[in-house]
Amino acid sequence: MTEPNKVLATFQVNGEPHEVAFVPHKTLLEVLREEMTLTGTKHGCELGECGTCTVQVDGTPVLSCLVLAVDAVGKNVQTVEGLACGSDLAPLQDCMADLGAAQCGYCTPGILMAADALLKDNVRPTRDEIKEALAGNLCRCTGYLKIFEAIELAAARMRGEDAEPSKESIYGS
Amino acid sequence: MLRLPPFTYHTPKNAVDAVRIAKEYGREAMYVAGGTDLYPNMKRRHQTPAQVISLRDVPELHSMEVLEDGRLQIGAMVTLTTLEFYPHLKAHYAGFAHAVREISTPLLRNMGTIGGNLLLDTRCSYYDQSHEWRESIDFCMKSKADAICWVAPGSPRCWAVQSSDSVPIICAMEAEIELAGVDGMRTIKGDDLYQDDGIQYLTKKPEELLTKITLPAPGNWKASYLKLRRRDTYDFPVLGVGACLWFAADGTIEKANVRLGGAGSYAMPATKTEELLVGKKLTDELIAEAGAAAMKPARTMDNTDLDVYWRKKVAPIYVARALKACR
């Protein structure tokens, strides 16, 4: 089959309009990275098995490698680039950095987007609820523990609590 | 980067138009619901439809309704997450709700639909690989008509495995499937949608569109689903036991359906187990005996995760646990 003609559409990404021409069989991941140069969203397995390409579409975390870009037109797309406010990191990002929850960092954008969606729905998630929310995001470095602790710390700070990481989180037990 | 092959994307606004487009393009066309099974398969060039028909804009496929007679009718495009958190399902169909929750990951359940899961492609360790990997072994018969089956090289048929979590339990529950075709609608029993072949695993015509699944009204029955897999998330079932038992007022089992997923190309009935259960009460002894009878029908082959002999050996234990959950 010959390459189909490009279509022109406007995406709402992180609250800003992006007018893009793309062929209709491109995934949202391809259009975000290659047409809008929003390369914060990573490509990993591209088969729905790793979660590193997680973005939010209308607030729901989905895998951008398996969403057609045309299906995201008219919806509110949130990527990792939209988390920070200028140079101020979001509490979730701060806590991930402070607790060493990102090592190689490749899974981090996907984990941030899945965790951000969880914290919007649930301000006081249990450890099991965090594990469940991240059950589609693989991390091969951290062993997940630091990630869970960072999300718990971020949740506490977002609730307005004056929370500090536990000594065990920083120095080990 | 793994990219989708080019295709023309159709977004019909009703089921009649969807079926018409599918009929018009024949083998060139495929439906897509959530895309979590089709798109990975297209990226690996298992399927390369030139025409992809999206069901996203067909409103009747997105509905969920409790019918007057108490049955629950679910549109094919209802996402697995929506089902998972639907209070009526949790309250009256706990076994089915559990099966839905066992599917893949929360992210994929946000995208995947019940219709797509019911029609999930069969899987095999020699098939679910990259194009290059499969090319290196000159493909298998599921990819290429004149190739052999690598699991059973002397076999004339494909042994790819039924891998959907929802199928064994909906077959056991005797749920009904509504299909839209060029000649109108027809309704069939869940069991009748599937057949024992890794390639032609569905009995429906290619252009027929699965529109709805109808679960029986709550009553004197209880269903359960138990899944075996390596990890608690992501993995497809290497064994998925769906059981449904109908009880008389005194606790005697009037009817029993037990289906084994992940153990063949369709959700196979554990017939001997079912026969043992009927007319008796669900005692611990009966559960053990009925479970043991499931060893034979569990036709495991070396084409999924985990050891083939071990999978067969644990089938009785999983069947027994599924039966116990029907108490």
Side-chain angles (χ1 to χ4, degrees):
Chain A
M1 186 175 175
T2 52
E3 189 87 346
N5 291 332
K6 286 187 174 181
V7 292
L8 188 67
T10 302
F11 291 85
Q12 281 295 325
V13 183
N14 303 323
E16 289 177 9
H18 289 255
E19 193 177 44
V20 180
F22 61 101
V23 285
H25 63 273
K26 291 287 176 193
T27 62
L28 179 58
L29 174 67
E30 289 170 298
V31 171
L32 284 171
R33 287 182 57 86
E34 296 167 5
E35 308 298 337
M36 303 183 201
T37 59
L38 290 170
T39 51
T41 306
K42 301 301 174 209
H43 64 92
C45 69
E46 289 153 37
L47 296 167
E49 294 168 9
C50 75
T52 196
C53 68
T54 305
V55 299
Q56 294 171 15
V57 175
D58 286 346
T60 302
V62 296
L63 300 169
S64 61
C65 73
L66 297 182
V67 174
L68 283 190
V70 286
D71 286 345
V73 174
K75 296 186 174 171
N76 182 18
V77 178
Q78 288 283 332
T79 69
V80 70
E81 286 91 346
L83 284 183
C85 190
S87 58
D88 291 335
L89 293 181
L92 200 50
Q93 291 170 303
D94 257 335
C95 294
M96 293 274 287
D98 288 350
L99 292 189
Q103 289 185 19
C104 88
Y106 206 78
C107 69
T108 307
I111 286 188
L112 283 169
M113 296 317 289
D116 179 69
L118 169 72
L119 296 184
K120 279 178 186 153
D121 278 349
N122 184 348
V123 296
R124 198 182 291 273
T126 63
R127 178 64 65 93
D128 280 347
E129 285 167 341
I130 296 172
K131 284 184 182 174
E132 170 71 18
L134 297 191
N137 296 83
L138 288 182
C139 171
R140 301 289 80 170
C141 302
T142 64
Y144 300 100
L145 195 57
K146 298 282 186 195
I147 296 170
F148 299 152
E149 289 172 347
I151 295 169
E152 285 165 350
L153 183 63
R157 287 183 179 170
M158 288 162 76
R159 292 193 301 267
E161 296 170 21
D162 188 19
E164 288 300 323
S166 69
K167 241 170 85 179
E168 288 77 18
S169 292
I170 306 272
Y171 301 111
S173 52
Chain B
M1 200 160 179
L2 274 176
R3 296 184 196 272
L4 287 166
F7 54 82
T8 302
Y9 195 56
H10 302 265
T11 52
K13 307 295 178 230
N14 58 60
V16 173
D17 282 352
V19 173
R20 183 184 50 73
I21 298 167
K23 181 71 181 169
E24 182 185 337
Y25 289 103
R27 297 174 68 87
E28 266 190 33
M30 285 186 84
Y31 293 117
V32 66
T36 57
D37 188 36
L38 181 64
Y39 293 149
N41 283 351
M42 287 175 69
K43 287 183 176 189
R44 292 183 302 211
R45 305 301 189 263
H46 289 306
Q47 288 120 28
T48 51
Q51 313 291 330
V52 172
I53 307 164
S54 169
L55 305 172
R56 68 170 203 203
D57 292 342
V58 181
E60 61 261 42
L61 304 187
H62 292 265
S63 66
M64 234 187 325
E65 186 187 2
V66 181
L67 303 177
E68 272 183 18
D69 59 8
R71 293 181 300 155
L72 174 63
Q73 196 163 65
I74 307 165
M77 283 296 282
V78 172
T79 67
L80 298 167
T81 297
T82 304
L83 266 184
E84 184 185 343
F85 293 103
Y86 180 44
H88 186 79
L89 201 79
K90 272 187 176 170
H92 300 289
Y93 301 92
F96 180 66
H98 173 72
V100 169
R101 195 179 156 76
E102 291 284 272
I103 297 167
S104 196
T105 70
L107 298 172
L108 286 162
R109 291 199 294 277
N110 285 344
M111 309 164 72
T113 65
I114 185 62
N117 195 255
L118 290 169
L119 302 180
L120 185 83
D121 198 3
T122 53
R123 298 179 63 83
C124 175
S125 356
Y126 292 92
Y127 179 72
D128 288 284
Q129 302 287 351
S130 68
H131 187 269
E132 294 72 19
W133 190 101
R134 290 179 295 127
E135 193 174 34
S136 74
I137 59 164
D138 196 22
F139 300 100
C140 71
M141 65 167 67
K142 191 166 160 67
S143 297
K144 194 174 149 193
D146 59 350
I148 62 165
C149 167
W150 285 96
V151 188
S155 169
R157 58 160 286 190
C158 164
W159 292 92
V161 174
Q162 186 287 122
S163 301
S164 156
D165 289 301
S166 59
V167 169
I169 188 165
I170 71 104
C171 288
M173 288 164 69
E174 301 186 352
E176 290 179 332
I177 303 290
E178 187 183 276
L179 299 168
V182 282
D183 300 322
M185 313 293 282
R186 68 184 178 112
T187 302
I188 59 171
K189 277 174 62 176
D191 267 335
D192 296 334
L193 180 59
Y194 307 99
Q195 58 190 4
D196 189 10
D197 186 276
I199 299 169
Q200 299 295 335
Y201 61 100
L202 296 172
T203 59
K204 75 173 190 71
K205 293 177 191 155
E207 77 277 8
E208 275 187 306
L209 172 65
L210 192 158
T211 49
K212 289 189 169 88
I213 171 172
T214 309
L215 305 184
N220 62 335
W221 57 270
K222 197 166 175 194
S224 67
Y225 178 72
L226 204 70
K227 175 175 184 173
L228 171 67
R229 55 177 162 176
R230 187 180 293 267
R231 301 173 289 185
D232 279 345
T233 180
Y234 278 108
D235 294 336
F236 288 94
V238 289
L239 179 67
V241 181
C244 189
L245 304 180
W246 283 257
F247 296 96
D250 67 350
T252 306
I253 298 165
E254 290 178 328
K255 186 165 71 167
N257 285 336
V258 179
R259 299 286 179 276
L260 305 178
S265 296
Y266 75 125
M268 288 185 299
T271 314
K272 183 79 181 152
T273 298
E274 294 169 351
E275 285 170 7
L276 279 168
L277 291 165
V278 174
K280 297 175 196 147
K281 290 186 178 168
L282 197 58
T283 60
D284 288 347
E285 295 72 31
L286 180 64
I287 287 173
E289 191 188 351
M295 172 86 98
K296 205 170 170 194
R299 209 169 42 195
T300 53
M301 301 192 71
D302 198 8
N303 60 348
T304 69
D305 190 14
L306 302 178
D307 179 78
V308 58
Y309 301 108
W310 183 78
R311 279 161 44 218
K312 192 171 174 67
K313 258 169 73 177
V314 298
I317 298 166
Y318 270 68
V319 170
R321 287 180 188 168
L323 292 174
K324 208 166 186 175
C326 288
R327 271 182 171 160

